[in-house]
Each structure stands twice: as C-alpha cells, then as structure tokens.
Amino acid sequence: MPRWLLTFSLLCLSFATLARGDELLSADKSIEEAVDHYVGAKQKLLGVQPAPLADDANLLRRTMLDLHGRPPTAAEVKAYQQASDAAKRREMVERLLAAPAFARQQGATFDALLMRGTNASLRNYLTEAFKENRSWDRIFRELLLGQENDPEQKGAIAFVKSRMKDQDKLTAEASSLLFGVNVSCAQCHDHPLVDDWKQDHYFGMKSFFARSFENGDYVGEKPYGMVEFKTTAGESRKAKLMFLTSQVFDEPENKEPDDKEKKAEKELLEKLKKDKKAPPAPEYSRRAKLVEIALAPEANSFFSRAIVNHVWNRLLGRGLVMPVDQMHSANLPSHPELLDWLARDLQAHNYDLARLTRGIVLSDAYARSSQWKSTDKRPSDELFAVGIVRPLTPWQYGTALKVALVNPDQYGADLAGSALDTKAQQLENAGRSFGDKFELPGEDFQVSVDEALSLSNAERTSTELLRVDGGNLLGKLTKLTDDREVATTAVWNIFGREPTAEEVQALESYLQARADRRDDAVKQIVWALLTSSECRFNY
Amino acid sequence: MTDLSLSRRNFLGASAATAATAAVAADMTSLDVLQNPLLAGELKQQGKRVILLWLAGGASQLETFDPKPGRPTGGPYRAINTSVPGVQISELMPKMASRLSKYTSIIRSLDTKNADHGGGARLMHLGRRDEPTVKYPDLGAVLARELGRIDSQVPDYVSFYTATEGRGNAISQSGFLGARYNAMFLTQGNVPPNLSRLAEISDLDHQQRGELRKLLSERFADGRQSASLASHNESYSRVRGLMASETLFDISKESQSVRDKYGPTLFGEQCLVARRLVEAGVPFVKISRAWWDSHGQNFETHLELVSELDHVMSALLDDLSERGLLENTLVVTLSEFGRTPQINSSLGRDHFASAWSSSLSGCGIKPGTVYGASDEDGRTVKDGKIGAAELFATIYRAVGIDHRKDYHVGARPLPLTDPGTKPVTEVLA
C-alpha cells in the first residue's frame, strides 16, 4: 500500500489530530520541496504528466497579482524576461514580499476573507499588522479579543463587533472562517451528513460567544449566562462549553445576578456607554478561553489547517479541502499529508503567513501553466497539474485596468523603490474605486451581466477608461502612425506579454478597416483588450 | 399590437440563433447535478412566468383581503361581496372583488413570526431564514434559473424599486446560484442602466468591437477550462441581446387605450412594462410599490394605496388574460408582513406577522379559492396556518417546479424548500 493511501485511511480514524509527525516528510525540508514532493507523488501515482511551468511573463503576472494585487507593467515584464540569473524567480518573490504593496494586498485579501471586503477599519488593521508580519495566532487573538483602546489592535475586534447583532452568525462564521468547520447545519439537529457535528458542538461553540455584547462603541462580555437549546427529541439542554474536538471545558461557578444586581449592572453599562468607555472585563472570559483552547496543542490542528487551506485556496485557486468550510472526516483533503506537513510547519515557525506564502509561491505546483495542450485527458483540478484560472477580485481587476492604461513612457524600467510604490498605490486606489461595482468572487463564481453591460455602455467606462489624454496609453497610441506598433504596444501594455502574430494581424486589420475613424478604432482595440478574459483573470 | 407580437417572435428567434456553446458550458456547474436535464428542459419549455407585486412596508390584510367589518379591529371600511359566493374582501377592492372567481386565490393564514422590516423582507424574499454560511438565492433568482433559458436574450430577472422608502430592504440576491441570476435592478426610471449604447460609438462599431473582444477571449480560453471563465464570455455574449430588449421598457410602444387601462401612475406603468417583459419571455419581474408602513393614518394611506392596487392589479390580470398570457403567468401580491388588528392612537396599524394575507392569481392557481382563516378579530390564525416556506412551495408548484428538488453546492445538497415543507394544494389547479 502506498504510504499516502495508508495515511489516508489513518486520517479517517483520527481526523483532528496531527499525531503522525514521524510519518511526514522531514520538518527541515523547505515548504516548496514539501509541496512539490506531495503534489508530485500523487501525480506520479496516478500517471499524470503535469503541464509545463508557465513562462516568465505569465509567472510574473500571476505572482504579482497574488502578492501585490496588481499585474506588472510592460517594463517590469521585459526587465524580468531579460534577467538571466538562475535565482531570478526567488529574488522576484523576495522583492515582492518585502515591498509595502504585499502588506496592502494581504490586508485586502484577509478583509475579503473575513468580512467580504466591506470593513475598512479591519482592512487598515490587517494591513498594519501584515506590515510588521504579525503572526497569524496573534492576529487571531486580536480578532477575538482586540482592545478598542489599543491603537495597534483597534479595528481587529470589528470581526466580532460586526456580527454582534446575530450570535448564530457570529458562531457559524467564526467557526467556518477560523477553524474551517461549518457547524451551522447542527444548529437545529445533529448534522445530517457529517457524523462529526452534533448539536452539542454547535451550541458548545455558541457558548464561547454568547456572553459577548455590544455596549456603545465597545464589545463587552458578561461573567454569567448559559446557552440553552432544545434537542430534536424535545429535551431542553444547557450547552456545555465545548470545542470542535469534543473537549468540554469546566469553568468557574457563575452566579446569575439577582434583580438588584442586574439593575446596577444595567445602570453601570448605560453610564459607560454615555462616557464612551469600555465595559469592565469579566474575570473569566469565554472568548479568551476559546483563543487559549484553539491554540493549545490538542486542538490547534483546526486553527492551523484552516489557515493553511485558505492560503492554499487563494494561491492555487482551489483548497486542499473543498469547500474550505467543510473540513471534516467525511470530506478528506486532496493531499492529506501535505496539509498536515504545512500545518505543522506553520506552527513550528510562529504562524508566519509570509513564510507560508513564500514557500507555496516558489513551488512548481504554483507555477504550472494554466493551458493544457497535451492530448492526454485534462487532469482534474485537485491534482494541481495544470494552473487553475482564477477571476480577479474587484480591486485587482480595477487596478489591472488602471495599470494597463498607464502611458508606458511614464512607467519605465527606471521606476523603483518608494517612487514605484507611490505610483502603484495611486493606481491601487484608483483601481479600488473603479472596481467597487464588480462582485467579489467566491466558490463557483460567475461574472455578472451587469459587469459586461457597465463596461460596454456606462458613461464612466468612456470617460475613465477610454479617455484620450497625453498622460495615458490612448494618448500615446493615437499619436502612433504605424498600425503594427499600435497593436504591439497595446497588447504589451494591457496583457503584459509579447503579442502573437495572429493577434497583431487581427488588430492591424481592424485598424485598417476603420482608417477613416482611426482614433475611435484605437479606443475600440483598447476596450476589447481590457474586457477580454486575459485581462479579467489570473491565469 | 402587431409590433409587439413581432418583437416577441424576434426575441425567441434570435435567442436560438445566437446560442453560444460557452453559455451552455457555464450553466453546467456543479449545481443541480442530480436534476434530470431532460425533465428540467421540458418544464422550462412551458414558458411559465411570475410577476411579484411587492407591497413594501407591509400592506394591511384588514384593508385588503381579510376584512373584519363590525369588529373593534375592523376599521372604517366595509367588506363587500365578491364573485365567489360567501367570500368578502375590503370595499377598497371592488374591481378585484368582481374578478376573484376568475383569477385569484387568497391565502389568509400566514404566520411568519418576523415583524421587523429587514428580517421580514428577507424572509419573504428567500422563503426561509438566513443561514450564516449559505447565501440563498431569492425567489426571483430561483425562478430565473428554473424558468429562464440559458441562451436567452432577454433579462432573466427584472426588479423595479423606484420608491425611496424602504430601499434598504429591497432584497435582491442570487446567492449560490451565481451572478448569472442577479436581478437587473431599476432604482431610477423605468429603463435599466447601461442598456443603451453611448452616442459616441456607432452601432456597427459597438457590435464589431464586441466581436474583436470575443476573438481575443476565445484565443485565451483555448486549452483553459473554468466555469467562471465561461461565464465571463457568456455575460458579454448577452450584451447585444439585452440592449435590444430596451424597447420592452418603453411603454410608448403601447396603444393609448392599453396605457389608459393601467393608468398614468408609476406603479401602473411598471406593471405594463412587466406585462411587456413576460410577453417577451422574461421569467420573473418584481414591481415594488411603497410605502405601506402606516403606523399613523392607516386608513388614509390604505384608501390611496389599496385603490391603486385594485385598479392596477385588475388591469394587469385582464390584460394578461386577454392576451392568453395568464395561464402561464403567476401574479403574486406579497409584503414583508401585515398590519396589527389593533388600531393605535394615531389611527395607525403597526407591524404584524401573526395572521396576514397574500394573493396568487393566474398560472397554476385554482381561482376563487380562499385558504386559511384568521380569528374573528384577525389576531391569530384560526385555520390553515402556514409560513414563508409553504407559500414558496406553493408558488414553485404553481409554475411546475418540484419544491423538493435539491441544489448542490460542492457536495452539499441544499433543498429548494426545507425538507417536509408542503405546498398549499388547496389553491393549486
């Protein structure tokens, strides 16, 4: 029996533990080695020959979209292609990780994950946190316990606060986003399909949040209160403080206050609300207990595996477990050992997400071409043998449109350091504002017809994307007299690669047929390139 | 109306001619894999449509379909006989009273628990409570998917919400069905945004730049496979067809006599647009009329709003019926909740979800039936209590959709209505 099959069956027995350390590939391997070892082993076992690695232009675009949220400019692509250093890919990745744009992209990405990209204060917090590469366990702690009075943590607690009005939502989303487990099916009855999840789990998880409340601008927590629920058998039950591992936690005896104490408590909270002060912290905080449990060795595989799966999902276009919130014994990972290895590595290296990201991005699995040219049957996505085409996020597409329209003469190869970052940040801001109308992609994402109609007919498309002025691409293109040069420049600027002969020919003949209205024809070419799938997707 | 029947034929003809293979591929997502495609196809071919008249803010059941004359809760209006022996409705609806036996069934026993605008509106759009980690599609998105054609050139789901009041509760979400089934949402005027070509580009150039876009995108899609990628090209392939549907929103194409029947109000005009849309094949149209939230002066408010509803709704049903469209078109009136039997000190009625009414007319409905009853003062449901799920199951069944079917998101089955939900068969034809 191949080793991965063996662990596969072992996993069924004990899903939630990471006890198989000695069976895993050595911990001193690099992340990229481990990724390629496990991904390659499964391909080999199934006799799948993976697609070749993507070319330089493609790989730079993919990596920059993932690490900086924008595609490269033509000058950046050309510089990367010209470099002949054997370590150029590693150097490129290191350079991207060290730049401020990486923290911004991480902030936007995690705000999208945790809040569907809607919470600016959380995004600001995350961006600042990623600037100093704050560890994921610390960010997790601050998401659940962040103190509003502490400028470093302010913003983090928005994760809890924004869900405070609906504790079922808070319970379900915290479980699924932070631990990869959607227990909401077990709210009304034991999970119908997954033996792992019982009503006790749902209400056990809810108990960790049930004492939290909003008081004015602050999140507080009461020192008393129990969650009660009705089982499907009709029995009323007091929920135990139970984590997803089924561990039950005792807590200090809590006394329900009498009416007089309740009245005093209410008055105090009203006063604190008026004075804009935080409610007193309870001696025993259930939310703090949850943080402690989740990070303790017996339980933290949920925590580590969930974040590894999210990062993998984001970078590869598909999680090692899909759907990402269905990590349970009836839904095994595509590569169980790899998930375990990466989770162990993350724990051993201080939950350093930049390190995890670097390793995955440097792997061959990440770098496969998304085009399948072989006559063999196309391998399924979960083998990661062909790159997966991913829709851009709204801010990525918005920024990609803005980057594409920059006059190449004003964004040359000499732009670097803080000048480059300032320019990039301007484009990101403009792109974000242009992109707010696009939808945030999720699983099974479809591009809406609203987007197509808007980019086809909206006034803003005409005034903002197809404006001719000296400072932008259209300004440059409309001054060129040579059709071939127009075609080549447009493709380079918008797609970030050398055009093919057929593309040049198609664009040239388009221009020639409309020689009587050449400026319009140039605009239409630019429109066609901007709205083409190549610009809309990360591939 | 020869011009209109022509345009209808054009639509149906054009849609088949331009069916793109990408469009078919995009629809074959992991959703709905267990569904028999043949059966689904047959149902869709029957061309069923739904028009939802959304009475935003909460219409009073007592001043519409469930009057309590002579009771302390009854208010000032009388009840009048309808064309159905023994059934009375409010005197504010004389036109519907005379048409009840012809078109309409009344449900008087909704008990939906949620009397908060936001929550009630969500419940009555989704037919179920929100679940935190699943984004359910609303009624329009489900019907757009079930009744629409993959290669359709007309919109699948059009939603008018031009009233400012309550727009925050104007629910519209395609949820896990994907953006393909998003509403074409109108909040200003009666023509959807971005349907018209800007003057600066000629129609020919607009079309040809689209073809250039397609050429480039097809080159890119070669050797690549993704449902999202297919949907991108599909959404652009629908642009020209949707632009051509702009005339459907133009009621000046109708004769003056037809326009006069609906009347010159915004609600009336939108209902006329709705008729034009369903005639051209749009599977779901929602018209929102606001604002029924009469905490004060309930009776003046309802005098105005119910009279208008009575007029416009009967004009719409007559028009659909005369054109032979009503047998395939279901018209629903619905709010987020009803209003309290108790009349408050401002002569208003407050939010009330314990015993209220909805009406169903046309397609799949046994006209003249009344289902359920509230008690003599209208405070509780006395007979036939149902919730949102049962009402939705009834709507689905009326247009030929199996309410027990599952969608699949990944491996997870998501039933169209919660298991065990029963439609109100008493009102179904």
Side-chain angles (χ1 to χ4, degrees):
Chain A
M1 181 146 72
R3 203 172 60 165
W4 72 266
L5 259 185
L6 180 71
T7 44
F8 194 81
S9 47
L10 274 177
L11 198 81
C12 301
L13 297 175
S14 78
F15 175 74
T17 54
L18 275 180
R20 293 166 298 116
D22 34 294
E23 289 174 41
L24 294 176
L25 199 63
S26 153
D28 57 17
K29 295 276 185 210
S30 70
I31 294 175
E32 52 272 32
E33 281 176 301
V35 167
D36 288 327
H37 170 81
Y38 287 118
V39 171
K42 187 159 177 183
Q43 288 166 1
K44 215 168 178 181
L45 187 81
L46 298 173
V48 167
Q49 182 66 40
L53 299 187
D55 63 26
D56 278 352
N58 185 170
L59 192 54
L60 179 67
R61 184 177 186 273
R62 185 184 299 174
T63 314
M64 281 197 67
L65 279 166
D66 283 334
L67 301 188
H68 282 190
R70 71 166 175 95
T73 62
E76 286 170 317
V77 176
K78 286 173 183 166
Y80 184 64
Q81 283 178 330
Q82 276 155 18
S84 52
D85 182 357
K88 73 174 183 177
R89 180 169 159 212
R90 183 171 293 272
E91 279 161 15
M92 176 262 287
V93 170
E94 293 297 352
R95 186 165 41 79
L96 295 177
L97 286 170
F102 176 62
R104 294 197 295 274
Q105 162 69 353
Q106 287 279 80
T109 301
F110 278 82
D111 180 41
L113 174 70
L114 300 171
M115 217 73 88
R116 296 211 47 86
T118 56
N119 197 298
S121 64
L122 183 72
R123 192 169 85 230
N124 291 339
Y125 158 80
L126 289 165
T127 304
E128 289 306 311
F130 286 121
K131 254 184 213 164
E132 56 178 63
N133 198 23
R134 208 172 290 173
S135 63
W136 178 241
D137 62 331
R138 188 169 151 203
I139 292 175
F140 163 67
R141 183 175 292 120
E142 289 168 358
L143 289 174
L144 290 188
L145 301 172
Q147 297 299 309
E148 278 115 330
N149 296 330
D150 180 337
E152 267 200 349
Q153 302 174 9
K154 193 171 152 34
I157 196 69
F159 177 77
V160 170
K161 195 150 79 177
S162 68
R163 295 169 169 92
M164 208 67 262
K165 284 195 174 61
D166 185 343
Q167 291 195 332
D168 289 313
K169 187 178 161 83
L170 176 59
T171 304
E173 295 190 351
S175 304
S176 80
L177 293 169
L178 301 170
F179 306 122
V181 170
N182 182 343
V183 285
S184 62
C185 260
Q187 185 179 348
C188 312
H189 44 72
D190 291 347
H191 198 296
L193 302 171
V194 183
D195 289 341
D196 302 9
W197 309 131
K198 310 289 184 204
Q199 272 185 303
D200 291 329
H201 289 100
Y202 179 82
F203 290 99
M205 287 303 285
K206 187 174 176 176
S207 297
F208 288 108
F209 297 105
R211 292 178 178 176
S212 300
F213 64 97
E214 207 173 354
N215 200 53
D217 295 335
Y218 292 88
V219 171
E221 191 172 346
K222 295 192 172 166
Y224 59 89
M226 300 296 282
V227 172
E228 283 184 49
F229 67 100
K230 255 204 172 96
T231 66
T232 35
E235 177 199 347
S236 276
R237 211 184 273 180
K238 272 205 169 79
K240 293 188 177 114
L241 208 55
M242 184 196 264
F243 189 64
L244 300 164
T245 48
S246 304
Q247 286 170 278
V248 173
F249 297 88
D250 293 329
E251 56 185 338
E253 192 77 18
N254 64 80
K255 193 170 77 60
E256 279 290 319
D258 58 28
D259 288 351
K260 202 175 138 205
E261 287 164 329
K262 269 194 178 153
K263 191 161 167 261
E265 182 189 36
K266 204 173 160 203
E267 280 165 8
L268 173 68
L269 289 175
E270 281 306 316
K271 182 162 175 3
L272 290 170
K273 194 192 280 185
K274 234 172 75 196
D275 298 347
K276 298 194 181 305
K277 285 192 175 142
E283 251 175 67
Y284 178 85
S285 158
R286 282 184 166 183
R287 268 189 291 129
K289 184 72 185 171
L290 176 61
V291 171
E292 181 196 317
I293 293 164
L295 296 173
E298 316 81 67
N300 78 0
S301 71
F302 281 97
F303 176 70
S304 307
R305 293 156 62 99
I307 190 64
V308 164
N309 199 41
H310 278 302
V311 172
W312 184 276
N313 181 47
R314 176 169 94 74
L315 295 172
L316 274 295
R318 183 195 161 87
L320 291 165
V321 180
M322 284 303 274
V324 288
D325 66 346
Q326 300 286 328
M327 300 180 80
H328 54 72
S329 61
N331 185 35
L332 295 174
S334 58
H335 298 74
E337 291 188 305
L338 175 57
L339 182 56
D340 283 354
W341 192 96
L342 290 172
R344 184 184 71 181
D345 184 78
L346 187 71
Q347 288 172 23
H349 292 92
N350 192 32
Y351 301 94
D352 178 347
L353 293 186
R355 185 177 182 282
L356 174 65
T357 304
R358 175 193 293 109
I360 294 176
V361 165
L362 284 172
S363 70
D364 284 353
Y366 175 81
R368 296 283 165 207
S369 165
S370 60
Q371 210 169 17
W372 186 250
K373 289 181 170 162
S374 159
T375 51
D376 292 354
K377 188 171 168 284
R378 186 190 186 89
S380 75
D381 282 349
E382 64 169 30
L383 294 179
F384 305 106
V386 197
I388 296 175
V389 176
R390 292 173 273 153
L392 299 183
T393 60
W395 74 88
Q396 283 177 323
Y397 189 31
T399 311
L401 294 170
K402 296 290 176 184
V403 169
L405 292 173
V406 167
N407 185 334
D409 302 337
Q410 299 184 358
Y411 207 126
D414 52 343
L415 202 59
S418 66
L420 173 68
D421 190 61
T422 304
K423 183 86 185 161
Q425 211 168 338
Q426 283 165 3
L427 294 168
E428 284 165 34
N429 291 340
R432 184 171 275 280
S433 114
F434 194 81
D436 13 337
K437 291 263 186 265
F438 305 135
E439 280 191 56
L440 190 65
E443 217 181 310
D444 296 325
F445 176 72
Q446 297 179 49
V447 176
S448 76
V449 74
D450 288 350
E451 178 180 316
L453 279 169
S454 157
L455 287 175
S456 296
N457 296 333
E459 188 73 39
R460 195 174 175 191
T461 304
S462 153
T463 53
E464 210 171 307
L465 297 182
L466 301 180
R467 196 184 69 243
V468 180
D469 85 35
N472 69 16
L473 174 69
L474 273 162
K476 181 182 169 83
L477 294 178
T478 48
K479 279 205 202 82
L480 297 175
T481 50
D482 180 53
D483 290 344
R484 173 164 294 252
E485 201 182 342
V486 170
T488 311
T489 310
V491 171
W492 257 113
N493 228 61
I494 299 172
F495 288 170
R497 62 164 174 82
E498 182 87 40
T500 65
E502 295 96 320
E503 284 167 337
V504 173
Q505 202 192 359
L507 296 177
E508 262 186 306
S509 54
Y510 190 91
L511 287 170
Q512 278 155 18
R514 289 154 195 80
D516 60 325
R517 47 190 193 289
R518 196 162 188 281
D519 284 5
D520 288 344
V522 173
K523 279 191 194 180
Q524 285 143 23
I525 283 185
V526 166
W527 179 86
L529 290 162
L530 291 176
T531 55
S532 129
S533 298
E534 183 158 351
C535 191
R536 180 68 181 87
F537 287 82
N538 190 355
Y539 59 90
Chain B
M1 290 300 91
T2 45
D3 56 336
L4 195 76
S5 37
L6 256 182
S7 72
R8 187 185 177 197
R9 264 204 302 282
N10 282 346
F11 270 113
L12 301 179
S15 58
T18 54
T21 46
V24 179
D27 199 60
M28 295 293 117
T29 56
S30 57
L31 294 167
D32 203 13
V33 282
L34 296 185
Q35 190 67 6
N36 179 342
L38 272 178
L39 187 66
E42 272 169 21
L43 283 177
K44 288 178 184 187
Q45 280 161 13
Q46 293 169 13
K48 305 284 201 244
R49 312 281 174 245
V50 177
I51 297 174
L52 172 62
L53 305 179
W54 177 255
L55 311 179
S60 169
Q61 69 284 3
L62 296 137
E63 275 70 52
T64 52
F65 295 112
D66 193 11
K68 300 290 174 189
R71 299 298 306 170
T73 55
Y77 300 119
R78 292 180 307 132
I80 52 172
N81 289 329
T82 65
S83 55
V84 180
V87 176
Q88 293 195 317
I89 62 174
S90 168
E91 66 167 329
L92 300 178
M93 305 194 84
K95 293 179 177 173
M96 282 310 300
S98 70
R99 288 162 175 83
L100 201 65
S101 61
K102 225 170 132 187
Y103 304 134
T104 302
S105 175
I106 299 170
I107 289 177
R108 283 179 173 161
S109 50
L110 282 163
D111 179 0
T112 51
K113 321 281 186 222
N114 197 328
D116 144 73
H117 285 297
R122 289 195 69 76
L123 177 65
M124 301 317 293
H125 275 83
L126 304 181
R128 67 207 322 157
R129 281 176 38 187
D130 272 302
E131 195 198 301
T133 50
V134 176
K135 204 169 179 197
Y136 283 108
D138 68 6
L139 179 68
V142 169
L143 293 171
R145 180 181 159 85
E146 294 296 324
L147 306 177
R149 295 163 54 130
I150 291 166
D151 56 356
S152 174
Q153 300 290 292
V154 294
D156 297 310
Y157 174 2
V158 177
S159 174
F160 289 87
Y161 208 117
T162 33
T164 43
E165 299 98 331
R167 198 179 285 168
N169 300 324
I171 313 303
S172 167
Q173 63 181 44
S174 55
F176 60 74
L177 290 181
R180 168 74 167 81
Y181 299 105
N182 276 353
M184 192 169 265
F185 202 63
L186 290 87
T187 53
Q188 286 167 350
N190 280 354
V191 181
N194 303 322
L195 268 195
S196 343
R197 174 173 54 81
L198 292 173
E200 64 201 43
I201 181 167
S202 73
D203 188 54
L204 183 70
D205 282 354
H206 190 282
Q207 180 189 333
Q208 290 182 340
R209 86 175 174 181
E211 286 160 7
L212 181 62
R213 193 210 81 83
K214 186 161 176 263
L215 178 84
L216 294 166
S217 290
E218 279 172 358
R219 284 184 53 82
F220 174 75
D222 180 41
R224 296 189 169 94
Q225 201 178 58
S226 135
S228 303
L229 177 57
S231 79
H232 185 235
N233 292 317
E234 186 207 343
S235 66
Y236 277 93
S237 76
R238 294 188 70 205
V239 164
R240 298 280 303 169
L242 290 172
M243 286 170 69
S245 71
E246 192 183 354
T247 55
L248 295 174
F249 295 87
D250 181 3
I251 55 165
S252 72
K253 306 266 188 236
E254 294 284 332
S255 72
Q256 194 55 47
S257 66
V258 169
R259 294 179 63 175
D260 289 345
K261 279 183 192 154
Y262 284 84
T265 62
L266 185 65
F267 183 50
E269 292 185 346
Q270 289 174 341
C271 282
L272 178 51
V273 174
R275 192 270 286 155
R276 289 173 63 79
L277 291 170
V278 297
E279 190 166 38
V282 175
F284 183 80
V285 185
K286 174 179 150 192
I287 312 286
S288 296
R289 176 68 173 104
W291 180 238
W292 296 74
D293 192 23
S294 48
H295 290 282
Q297 307 304 326
N298 177 70
F299 304 104
E300 281 84 346
T301 307
H302 277 71
L303 175 62
E304 185 195 332
L305 290 172
V306 181
S307 302
E308 186 195 33
L309 174 67
D310 184 51
H311 175 78
V312 173
M313 185 178 171
S314 48
L316 174 66
L317 293 172
D318 285 348
D319 195 13
L320 288 168
S321 172
E322 282 158 21
R323 284 161 190 269
L325 293 168
L326 193 58
E327 61 185 278
N328 281 321
T329 306
L330 174 70
V331 179
V332 182
T333 66
L334 192 58
S335 301
E336 59 265 48
F337 42 63
R339 306 215 72 84
T340 46
Q342 187 72 41
I343 299 162
N344 67 28
S345 57
S346 319
L347 292 180
R349 296 191 192 268
D350 302 311
H351 301 180
F352 183 66
S354 305
W356 59 288
S357 305
S358 165
S359 79
L360 304 168
S361 308
C363 177
I365 293 302
K366 195 192 293 171
T369 46
V370 174
Y371 177 80
S374 56
D375 65 28
E376 59 176 356
D377 284 328
R379 294 182 197 277
T380 57
V381 172
K382 189 175 72 182
D383 182 26
K385 185 192 282 193
I386 62 163
E390 288 76 19
L391 180 66
F392 273 53
T394 311
I395 292 171
Y396 293 140
R397 283 290 291 272
V399 292
I401 299 166
D402 181 0
H403 71 285
R404 293 161 304 186
K405 75 182 276 176
D406 282 336
Y407 287 121
H408 284 82
V409 174
R412 180 172 177 191
L414 294 162
L416 191 53
T417 50
D418 287 339
T421 302
K422 291 193 175 67
V424 180
T425 50
E426 288 85 343
V427 305
L428 292 170

